[in-house]
Amino acid sequence: MGHVENEGSQSGAIDPALWRGMTQRRFTRRQAMGFAGAGLTSALLATYGGTAVQAGASSVIGSAKWWKKQKLHHVVNFANWPYYIDVLAGKHPSLEHFTKTTGIKVNYLEVVQDNASFYQKIRPSLAAGQYTGYDIVVLTNNNPQLGYMVQLDWLIPLDRSLMTNFNKFAGPLVKSPSWDPGNKYTMAWQSGWTAIGYNNKQVKNPGTSIDILFDKKYAGKVGMLSDPFELGSVGLLAIGVEPSKSTESDWAKAAKKLHQQKSDGIVASYYDQSYIQHLKNGDIEVSMCYSGDIFQADLNSKYKDLTLMLPKEGAMLWTDNMCIPKYSQNPLDAMTCMDYFYNPQTESVVEYYNDYICPVPDAKQELLRPTGWNKAALKSLQPEIGLPTSVTANSLDVFPSTKQVKASKSYYNFKSQDEIDAWNNLFLPIIQGA
Amino acid sequence: MSSPPRRAAWRKGLAPYLLSSPAGLWLLLLFIVPLLIMLSITLKTCSPASGQCVMTWNWGELPHVVNLYRTQFVTSLIFAAVATIIDLVISFPIAYWIAFYGGRRKNFFLIMLLVPFFVSFIIRTLVWEFILSNNGVVLTFLKGNHLLPSGFHVLGTGFAVVAGLAYNYLPFTALPLYVALERIDRRVLNAAYDLYANRRVAFMRVILPLTVPGIFAAFLLTFIPAFGDYVNQEILGGTANTMIGTVIQNLFLIDSDYAGGASLSAVLLVISLLGIWLYAKLLGSRTIEEYL
């Protein structure tokens, strides 16, 4: 095979890439634009309560008719954030079970490091009307990128008929959320709080207020997050303003407070995910943090001094969302996979490992009394985790009380690009050190 | 009707252009055109959502970003200058020794100087991060023996960034210096000794003046890439010592602010060109290529 020399021969082997190009359906730019236009019309019709199915829109990507035509390809390319799924000896038990029962192979890729740079990587393909290489991507609701995908019609509306587990088991937190009413495009992967983490050996009287981040007592030992949307929201909470109801003049006041915090020498640095390492090392004593990180660090007995505080001003609640980018080649496999994670048995295995806020409340019972394949999976994971499943099941950070959820705060919902620019112009200079 | 000789002459005149056309085309397509595209982006307005740019003749972007990021420009200038001076001080004796005392093994010594740089730039810098980290070999040992206070750290400081720059760009300084020293005619040196110059005077009044073009070339070749570098800052530095290269990288790859990134790049380019112009003005444009 490998050495076919056929210069000048007409009937010889043709470059496989050329074959693909000739045999596979391609979207031209005009077609793509046509689809976008039609998508918009159907979206508008849907908003006005009409059933959008009409002759012209029948084959629109994501319509019921379009979904009916899709076939399983027994493969799905899943792009997720690192350390976000159960791992056992380099494999993922939950995904293995999925492959065993459905025959769909999952290429699980931990390629999303942050929303902005991941979006930059998939955008050129989407803009050119091409497959991004991923059938499922996970984006956070607190950054603008998920909104951009919806605005630009770059997400495939989900197949309502394939959301059986979701409809049955999804918790109130992730069912028809404010950033995606009716779960038109997304299903949550996990949620979490951006709260405060501290070392209880070094911090004796933490109190219950966000003011600890602005306390001169901890000058040079306070870590802040470098995500402008996280940083700005904490600034708003600190001046007593609810981020979701804030105005531009509130943003300016919050930025002033954060500038002051910086010039007073309170901030050690603005960190990305690396803050947790610095908190463990003792470089910083108190820091903005993501809830699951602290819980995971606690599991390791060496770092049990790290404590999570949900401040009385409220903790920011975010959700990472699974969605199907347009031009996905395996949308039906993606739908099947996404819904599979709403089975409480599956979710119990995922949650035992990753300790963020579980989108499936019934997974708690499955952690305490597993009823199926998850029994063996949880048991085999136990030596790795080192704690009984009941600890995860009873953790308020994984299955929070309604009171906790009510006390959490949502992010500001940007209404235009101008607003995003205004926000960035206020908070980015603080982080970038100007 | 042109006569055959005139036609030949015309052909002869065209020959150099034809011969240089592959290189010219290369330069045009892969250098001039991208440069013009970059400059045109500074005047455009780009959407962070779709990434598409529309020409709006926005002349305000350049002063806006320069003003916003002037601290980072200053940081970069200082870091690059300090790193370059460190490189000159370190590599001059080495280059001098190889050129004058290397003997038959000159090439061997040159290769020894370059061997570490056969490893990829990023990997080398990442290894330094590993060596200098708080729990790394060096600091653990020094702190364990109470030679340093326990809160001491290297990573994240401006010192780490300058050290990284100086390390990574050392060959760009050492090689031009070596070429300059190697080319010095030994008879000139002998003449100096014949005229009762001692070694110090011969060095100051013969060797040093003759290596000035080499020193300047080394300075430019080190300073210009170090000025725009972001890898060292990103890996070894922290938030308090952001360099302009890091800002440009963030603007392009994270914030989708193409106009801002292009504007800052244009300013970087102008500063670099100023350096080269100064070199050409003082030492002539012919000498620089001898060190590249």
Side-chain angles (χ1 to χ4, degrees):
Chain A
M1 274 287 292
H3 49 272
V4 192
E5 284 271 0
N6 61 314
E7 256 192 327
S9 102
Q10 306 221 328
S11 58
I14 292 175
D15 181 359
L18 188 62
W19 269 120
R20 265 201 307 282
M22 294 194 303
T23 51
Q24 243 176 30
R25 194 164 155 226
R26 284 267 177 98
F27 294 104
T28 64
R29 186 173 284 266
R30 187 179 296 171
Q31 272 173 312
M33 276 164 70
F35 281 133
L40 195 67
T41 338
S42 75
L44 282 173
L45 282 170
T47 342
Y48 290 108
T51 40
V53 187
Q54 21 157 262
S58 62
S59 64
V60 164
I61 293 182
S63 66
K65 229 175 187 171
W66 181 87
W67 273 111
K68 217 168 253 168
K69 278 193 283 184
Q70 302 307 311
K71 288 195 179 70
L72 283 177
H73 299 127
H74 300 287
V75 66
V76 59
N77 298 312
F78 192 156
N80 206 343
W81 298 62
Y83 308 110
Y84 224 12
I85 197 169
D86 49 296
V87 179
L88 184 65
K91 289 179 175 162
H92 309 297
S94 60
L95 292 175
E96 293 207 312
H97 178 75
F98 176 68
T99 306
K100 217 163 86 189
T101 48
T102 60
I104 299 171
K105 187 177 171 286
V106 184
N107 296 318
Y108 186 79
L109 304 152
E110 300 184 323
V111 288
V112 189
Q113 295 285 351
D114 70 278
N115 290 282
S117 56
F118 182 71
Y119 179 67
Q120 288 255 329
K121 282 184 197 134
I122 58 171
R123 186 175 64 195
S125 307
L126 289 165
Q130 285 163 356
Y131 182 37
T132 58
Y134 305 114
D135 304 302
I136 304 175
V137 301
V138 176
L139 295 171
T140 320
N141 69 323
N142 66 2
N143 267 249
Q145 285 74 26
L146 185 64
Y148 291 161
M149 297 277 275
V150 175
Q151 261 174 43
L152 292 163
D153 197 23
W154 282 347
L155 290 178
I156 299 181
L158 304 181
D159 185 351
R160 323 304 307 170
S161 68
L162 280 173
M163 289 165 71
T164 42
N165 281 329
F166 182 88
N167 291 333
K168 204 165 156 193
F169 296 114
L173 196 63
V174 296
K175 217 167 196 175
S176 193
S178 62
W179 60 92
D180 183 22
N183 291 93
K184 191 164 184 233
Y185 299 103
T186 68
M187 293 191 228
W189 172 257
Q190 298 278 300
S191 307
W193 283 295
T194 303
I196 295 169
Y198 62 92
N199 187 322
N200 64 26
K201 267 212 181 127
Q202 294 156 319
V203 179
K204 289 299 176 198
N205 295 306
T208 55
S209 167
I210 211 161
D211 291 341
I212 191 173
L213 294 171
F214 300 85
D215 193 335
K216 285 196 176 126
K217 212 161 60 181
Y218 305 109
K221 297 284 182 187
V222 175
M224 299 296 277
L225 291 176
S226 61
D227 179 320
F229 302 100
E230 297 286 15
L231 187 71
S233 299
V234 160
L236 285 165
L237 289 176
I239 59 163
V241 173
E242 195 133 325
S244 58
K245 292 173 190 145
S246 60
T247 61
E248 283 202 40
S249 68
D250 294 330
W251 304 351
K253 277 181 225 148
K256 208 176 151 199
K257 171 116 186 162
L258 292 164
H259 265 300
Q260 189 63 45
Q261 179 202 26
K262 188 182 176 187
S263 58
D264 284 350
I266 294 168
V267 183
S269 192
Y270 299 90
Y271 299 102
D272 53 14
Q273 194 61 44
S274 64
Y275 79 89
I276 189 71
Q277 208 51 50
H278 292 280
L279 205 52
K280 283 177 177 173
N281 288 350
D283 297 346
I284 48 176
E285 294 172 359
V286 51
S287 177
M288 288 172 74
C289 73
Y290 300 118
S291 54
D293 290 341
I294 300 293
F295 193 89
Q296 281 184 11
D298 279 347
L299 292 181
N300 189 335
S301 57
K302 208 171 141 196
Y303 303 114
K304 61 178 184 299
D305 301 333
L306 299 190
T307 314
L308 179 72
M309 181 214 293
L310 298 179
K312 65 169 192 269
E313 290 85 352
M316 301 307 297
L317 181 71
W318 45 261
T319 299
D320 279 337
N321 302 280
M322 297 183 275
C323 46
I324 310 177
K326 213 163 187 181
Y327 316 113
S328 156
Q329 286 185 349
N330 314 299
L332 200 59
D333 307 75
M335 267 317 300
T336 317
C337 184
M338 283 157 72
D339 196 52
Y340 165 75
F341 281 102
Y342 274 84
N343 184 322
Q345 292 184 350
T346 315
E347 205 56 18
S348 70
V349 177
V350 175
E351 221 54 59
Y352 187 35
Y353 175 87
N354 86 16
D355 304 309
Y356 276 93
I357 301 175
C358 182
V360 181
D362 287 4
K364 181 173 180 168
Q365 284 311 312
E366 284 292 336
L367 272 162
L368 294 168
R369 279 176 293 281
T371 56
W373 69 275
N374 55 335
K375 194 169 187 175
L378 289 171
K379 207 170 170 188
S380 61
L381 276 166
Q382 187 143 355
E384 186 103 333
I385 311 272
L387 281 174
T389 51
S390 59
V391 172
T392 310
N394 293 321
S395 164
L396 282 173
D397 305 337
V398 180
F399 298 99
S401 65
T402 12
K403 203 178 126 212
Q404 269 178 307
V405 173
K406 277 220 181 96
S408 355
K409 305 290 177 198
S410 357
Y411 293 85
Y412 182 76
N413 228 332
F414 292 101
K415 280 154 210 84
S416 68
Q417 187 57 47
D418 286 347
E419 287 193 344
I420 297 175
D421 290 344
W423 180 285
N424 277 334
N425 279 336
L426 281 167
F427 297 108
L428 271 181
I430 301 174
I431 303 155
Q432 301 236 0
Chain B
M1 295 288 152
S2 58
S3 58
R6 268 186 72 185
R7 198 165 176 168
W10 185 74
R11 267 197 197 155
K12 225 177 192 171
L14 204 63
Y17 294 100
L18 282 173
L19 281 171
S20 67
S21 65
L25 212 64
W26 175 274
L27 202 67
L28 183 77
L29 284 179
L30 300 176
F31 181 69
I32 307 283
V33 171
L35 187 68
L36 291 177
I37 291 174
M38 188 195 86
L39 289 175
S40 77
I41 289 175
T42 64
L43 303 176
K44 288 180 175 177
T45 304
C46 304
S47 150
S50 66
Q52 258 142 22
C53 296
V54 187
M55 179 55 84
T56 48
W57 299 104
N58 178 15
W59 293 95
E61 185 63 22
L62 198 120
H64 171 70
V65 287
V66 170
N67 185 40
L68 203 57
Y69 295 110
R70 56 176 192 277
T71 355
Q72 285 86 339
F73 263 114
V74 174
T75 310
S76 302
L77 271 173
I78 295 171
F79 282 8
V82 173
T84 310
I85 290 165
I86 292 174
D87 275 350
L88 285 171
V89 171
I90 293 177
S91 51
F92 197 94
I94 302 172
Y96 181 84
W97 188 84
I98 297 176
F100 282 84
Y101 303 102
R104 281 187 297 128
R105 290 179 139 186
K106 270 181 195 167
N107 285 338
F108 171 75
F109 291 129
L110 277 179
I111 286 172
M112 291 315 286
L113 185 68
L114 291 177
V115 158
F117 299 94
F118 290 175
V119 179
S120 141
F121 185 67
I122 307 268
I123 307 258
R124 267 183 283 139
T125 316
L126 282 172
V127 171
W128 274 114
E129 186 195 21
F130 177 73
I131 295 171
L132 296 175
S133 75
N134 285 357
N135 303 324
V137 198
V138 182
L139 290 192
T140 314
F141 175 78
L142 292 175
K143 283 178 188 173
N145 291 297
H146 301 288
L147 294 167
L148 284 175
S150 62
F152 186 85
H153 63 108
V154 178
L155 287 186
T157 62
F159 171 78
V161 181
V162 172
L165 288 170
Y167 166 72
N168 275 315
Y169 291 105
L170 188 76
F172 294 90
T173 324
L175 291 183
L177 285 179
Y178 169 77
V179 173
L181 288 160
E182 164 71 6
R183 289 186 337 154
I184 293 175
D185 192 337
R186 299 308 139 93
R187 289 171 303 181
V188 179
L189 210 54
N190 287 335
Y193 293 135
D194 284 348
L195 295 168
Y196 300 104
N198 58 28
R199 289 173 71 93
R200 201 182 67 86
V201 171
F203 178 81
M204 294 305 284
R205 298 189 59 177
V206 178
I207 296 177
L208 209 54
L210 283 172
T211 39
V212 161
I215 293 173
F216 204 6
F219 185 85
L220 285 182
L221 287 173
T222 313
F223 180 78
I224 291 173
F227 186 41
D229 185 271
Y230 69 89
V231 173
N232 286 285
Q233 201 279 326
E234 194 99 307
I235 296 175
L236 303 172
T239 34
N241 43 50
T242 312
M243 288 173 75
I244 200 66
T246 317
V247 173
I248 294 175
Q249 192 244 5
N250 285 343
L251 288 178
F252 272 114
L253 297 183
I254 295 174
D255 305 331
S256 286
D257 185 356
Y258 298 146
S263 302
L264 291 178
S265 305
V267 176
L268 259 187
L269 188 75
V270 168
I271 294 176
S272 309
L273 283 176
L274 271 177
I276 294 169
W277 176 79
L278 209 65
Y279 182 99
K281 202 78 191 156
L282 294 175
L283 304 161
S285 59
R286 207 177 53 79
T287 45
I288 195 166
E289 64 221 31
E290 289 163 12
Y291 302 98
L292 295 176

